[in-house]
Amino acid sequence: MAIRKCLICGKEYEACVNCSKYGGWRAVADTPEHYQIYSIIQDMRLGASPKELKEQFAQISKEATQSMMPEIRDVLIKGNVIDNGVATAKRGKTAITKKTDEDNSSQK
């Protein structure tokens, strides 16, 4: 077994020597979800649409995305995959807008 460092979160983990040799996900990431984030970044570099990448990112758990290194988050923000680190609907957050008195008066 070899000690590797996850390219997404920076955590050290054990992986077999054959992971690098055969291109397994453990060669670059400590979890399958971190490998998904890695794959999204690779797809972004190959020209995939931000909409498609956002849909892929929405399938990743909150726990997996919270452990991303800041530089990985920055890459995803620059690629329009996430908006300044704002969570997706799947990850449990929704945008709430508050009506103002002006909005209420215009509806009368």
Side-chain angles (χ1 to χ4, degrees), residues 8 31-38 59-64:
I8 301 303
T31 67
E33 287 189 313
H34 282 174
Y35 182 73
Q36 285 178 286
I37 294 169
Y38 172 82
Q59 301 303 311
I60 299 170
S61 74
K62 181 178 181 178
E63 294 80 24

Side-chain angles (χ1 to χ4, degrees), residues 77-91:
I77 290 169
K78 287 178 185 175
N80 293 317
V81 177
I82 58 176
D83 301 319
N84 293 322
V86 174
T88 62
K90 166 133 186 186
R91 292 172 41 214

